[in-house]
């Protein structure tokens, strides 16, 4: 119970940082547009600490979630309403309503734009952080040599069993995993440089199409040495030398040597021992090396942009499901704020067990998702959100006349109503997760 609460708090605070960054965007933009900011606060609720600058009161509030940026102008709006004026009258210097519609558009755009840029930045950092990856020497075979395993994917090509791939289309291959990442996805033929029986050779392989995807018929082969095992009968470093009386040279030889049972001869510390396995599920994994490298081999900035756009479109789809009350679809696509906070905290604490780089990468990735979600929500053309304020500014630019104070407030109240409905809808997602 205590752990669950701590996980929720961690997630809640991380989401709060992203919200604060949104408000920081408004603050910076307001100052650049010569609009005074009366209060800029980190957190919500009662004030714990405040500092009065030249024009702004800076606050730290009791609840460290998000923040707010209160711009100068609320007094003029209240006065115009109380006096039932048709316009704002004489406005103070530095007031939000004294600035042009274009400047007000920029101020409200800056919040969601900050979230989009933050998402791009965080995704780019995710791409730069090296994390542990499996790394196997690129010794390969053609899949046609093992039709029992690959079935319809058994494709005969010019690869010979035991070839070591050195490069693909002129790009150096460090391991089998990097080779796979360099395979073209458009079905083009590839040229490989391989080490074969002590000689370097160049071979060309054409792709075949299976299930609308290019396939090259190349498979990894590894020495049959055991890595981790869930059975006390096998130890790390055991080298399997035969299975069911057949000499085995690689892991694929082992997999194809039996049919429901395996009598294994194992070389262990210079001695040969025998073990039997019933069934085709081995209680061990094969030995592999690990290296630290970037998960994303493309340009990090391009990755950041593409991922931000991808999740932006996904969030819009989820919001569409929310507005259309398509709850089954919504349940699959989105998370409510409570569940999201808990999941972010839970995943972050789990990642902490895998080292600093894994934790940092996980946190940045999750914050990227939160940031792009805030961007998506705030550009909705609903007056209570930034997108609605941007729409009002556009209307004023087109009409070349400011909105009346009463009209402005009426639109705000209507927008607030829809905003509350959306927020309740978001919390209903959490409720659905408890029910279903």
């Amino acid at each position: 119970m205590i752990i669950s609460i701590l996980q929720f708090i961690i997630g809640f605070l991380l989401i709060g940082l992203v919200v604060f960054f949104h408000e920081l965007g408004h603050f910076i933009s307001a100052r650049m547009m010569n609009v005074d900011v009366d209060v800029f606060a980190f957190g919500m609720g009662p004030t714990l600490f405040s500092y009065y600058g030249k024009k702004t009161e800076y606050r730290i509030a009791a609840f460290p979630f998000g923040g707010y940026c209160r711009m100068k102008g609320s007094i003029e709006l209240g006065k115009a309403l109380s006096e039932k004026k048709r316009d704002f009258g004489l406005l103070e210097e530095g007031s939000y309503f004294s600035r042009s519609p274009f400047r007000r558009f920029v101020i409200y755009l800056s919040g969601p734009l900050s979230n989009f840029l933050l998402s791009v930045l965080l995704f780019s950092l995710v791409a730069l952080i090296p994390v542990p990856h499996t790394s196997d020497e690129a010794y390969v075979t053609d899949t046609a040599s093992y039709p029992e395993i690959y079935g319809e994917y058994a494709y005969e090509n010019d690869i010979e069993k035991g070839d070591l791939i050195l490069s693909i289309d002129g790009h150096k291959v460090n391991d089998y995993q990097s080779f796979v990442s360099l395979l073209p996805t458009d079905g083009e033929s590839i040229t490989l440089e391989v080490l074969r029986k002590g000689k370097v050779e160049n071979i060309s392989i054409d792709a075949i199409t299976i299930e609308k995807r290019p396939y090259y018929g190349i498979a990894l082969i590894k020495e049959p040495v055991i890595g981790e095992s869930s059975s006390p009968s096998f130890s790390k470093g055991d080298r399997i030398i035969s299975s069911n009386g057949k000499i085995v040279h690689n892991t694929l030889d082992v997999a194809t040597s039996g049919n429901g049972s395996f009598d294994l001869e194992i070389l262990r510390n210079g001695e040969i021992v025998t073990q039997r396995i019933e069934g085709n599920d081995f209680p061990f994994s094969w030995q592999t090396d690990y290296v630290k490298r970037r998960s994303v081999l493309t340009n990090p900035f391009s990755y950041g942009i593409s991922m931000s756009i991808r999740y932006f479109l996904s969030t819009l789809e989820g919001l569409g499901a929310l507005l259309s009350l398509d709850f089954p679809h919504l349940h699959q696509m989105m998370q409510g704020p409570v569940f999201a906070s808990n999941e972010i905290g839970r995943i972050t604490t789990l990642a902490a067990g895998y080292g600093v780089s894994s934790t940092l990468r996980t946190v940045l990735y999750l914050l990227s998702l939160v940031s792009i979600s805030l961007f998506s929500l705030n550009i909705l053309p609903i007056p209570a959100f930034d997108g609605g304020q941007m729409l009002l500014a556009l209307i004023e630019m087109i009409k070349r006349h400011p909105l009346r104070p009463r009209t402005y407030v009426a639109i705000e109240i209507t927008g607030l109503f829809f905003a509350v409905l959306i927020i309740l809808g978001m919390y209903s997602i959490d409720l659905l997760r408890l029910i279903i």
Side-chain angles (χ1 to χ4, degrees), residues 274-418:
T274 60
Q275 297 290 350
R276 183 176 178 83
I277 296 176
E278 296 290 347
N280 292 311
D281 294 327
F282 295 166
F284 54 77
S285 60
W286 298 115
Q287 181 172 281
T288 189
D289 291 326
Y290 290 89
V291 295
K292 274 197 170 185
R293 65 164 176 255
R294 287 167 40 193
S295 296
V296 181
L297 300 180
T298 57
N299 181 284
F301 185 66
S302 299
Y303 173 80
I305 293 176
S306 64
M307 290 294 287
S308 296
I309 293 174
R310 171 186 169 186
Y311 282 107
F312 164 62
L313 296 176
S314 177
T315 304
L316 286 186
E317 186 177 350
L319 289 172
L322 175 62
L323 294 174
S324 62
L325 303 180
D326 184 2
F327 287 108
H329 189 204
L330 180 65
H331 182 263
Q332 297 175 354
M333 300 233 12
M334 297 185 71
Q335 296 178 350
V338 176
F339 189 83
S341 297
N342 186 66
E343 282 297 286
I344 289 173
R346 184 183 68 81
I347 294 171
T348 301
T349 52
L350 284 175
Y354 293 91
V356 175
S357 61
S358 293
T359 304
L360 182 59
R361 190 173 186 274
T362 300
V363 170
L364 293 179
Y365 192 91
L366 294 172
L367 292 184
S368 302
L369 299 182
V370 172
S371 194
I372 203 66
S373 297
L374 280 176
F375 166 76
S376 306
L377 185 65
N378 275 282
I379 63 170
L380 293 177
I382 298 174
F385 296 136
D386 295 327
Q389 297 294 334
M390 292 158 57
L391 179 62
L392 293 180
L394 282 174
I395 292 173
E396 289 191 14
M397 279 189 267
I398 295 170
K399 291 180 60 178
R400 296 181 178 276
H401 189 276
L403 294 173
R404 296 178 180 179
R406 289 187 64 180
T407 303
Y408 185 87
V409 172
I411 293 174
E412 282 286 292
I413 293 173
T414 304
L416 183 61
F417 171 75
F418 284 105

Side-chain angles (χ1 to χ4, degrees), residues 82-366:
S82 64
E83 297 178 0
K84 299 180 180 181
K85 291 183 177 180
R86 297 176 61 86
D87 56 42
F88 285 92
L90 185 64
L91 295 168
E92 291 185 67
E93 178 62 26
S95 168
Y96 168 77
F97 293 104
S98 70
R99 299 307 175 213
S100 68
F102 174 76
R103 291 195 176 196
R104 282 182 271 144
F105 180 90
V106 171
I107 290 172
Y108 276 100
L109 173 64
S110 62
L113 182 61
S114 296
N115 282 129
F116 184 83
L117 294 177
L118 177 63
S119 176
V120 171
L121 173 63
L122 295 179
F123 273 127
S124 300
L125 290 175
V126 166
L128 286 171
I129 296 175
V131 292
H133 286 269
T134 55
S135 177
D136 297 299
E137 289 187 281
Y139 285 101
V140 295
T141 183
D142 66 328
T143 53
S145 298
Y146 294 92
E148 314 96 308
I149 297 176
Y150 295 101
E152 65 174 315
Y153 295 93
Y155 170 36
E156 186 175 0
N157 51 39
D158 290 333
I159 288 287
E160 293 185 6
K161 188 186 298 184
D163 283 350
L164 175 64
I165 299 177
L166 303 177
S167 70
I168 172 174
D169 294 331
H171 299 286
K172 182 181 178 182
V173 169
N174 297 314
D175 52 26
Y176 181 77
Q177 285 73 19
S178 64
F179 161 69
V180 171
S181 70
L182 292 169
L183 284 172
T185 58
D186 52 10
E188 293 183 354
S189 61
I190 57 175
T191 300
L192 301 180
E193 185 181 49
V194 302
L195 182 65
R196 177 181 295 169
K197 298 176 182 177
K199 295 182 180 180
V200 176
E201 297 189 21
N202 291 297
I203 60 175
S204 180
I205 298 177
D206 294 323
I208 61 173
T209 301
I210 299 178
E211 297 179 354
K212 299 181 180 180
R213 298 181 64 183
Y215 184 70
Y216 295 91
I218 302 172
L220 172 69
I221 57 175
K222 300 169 60 174
E223 190 176 5
V225 178
I226 294 174
E228 302 298 327
S229 174
S230 60
S231 170
S233 300
F234 300 93
S235 301
K236 185 175 183 179
D238 285 353
R239 204 289 190 188
I240 298 175
I241 56 177
S242 74
S243 175
N244 293 335
K246 299 177 182 179
I247 301 298
V248 295
H249 302 283
N250 58 64
T251 54
L252 299 181
D253 287 343
V254 178
T256 56
S257 63
N259 185 17
S261 64
F262 299 83
D263 290 309
L264 304 176
E265 281 190 321
I266 297 170
L267 182 63
R268 178 186 297 166
N269 298 325
E271 296 182 0
I272 295 178
V273 297
T274 60
Q275 297 290 350
R276 183 176 178 83
I277 296 176
E278 296 290 347
N280 292 311
D281 294 327
F282 295 166
F284 54 77
S285 60
W286 298 115
Q287 181 172 281
T288 189
D289 291 326
Y290 290 89
V291 295
K292 274 197 170 185
R293 65 164 176 255
R294 287 167 40 193
S295 296
V296 181
L297 300 180
T298 57
N299 181 284
F301 185 66
S302 299
Y303 173 80
I305 293 176
S306 64
M307 290 294 287
S308 296
I309 293 174
R310 171 186 169 186
Y311 282 107
F312 164 62
L313 296 176
S314 177
T315 304
L316 286 186
E317 186 177 350
L319 289 172
L322 175 62
L323 294 174
S324 62
L325 303 180
D326 184 2
F327 287 108
H329 189 204
L330 180 65
H331 182 263
Q332 297 175 354
M333 300 233 12
M334 297 185 71
Q335 296 178 350
V338 176
F339 189 83
S341 297
N342 186 66
E343 282 297 286
I344 289 173
R346 184 183 68 81
I347 294 171
T348 301
T349 52
L350 284 175
Y354 293 91
V356 175
S357 61
S358 293
T359 304
L360 182 59
R361 190 173 186 274
T362 300
V363 170
L364 293 179
Y365 192 91
L366 294 172

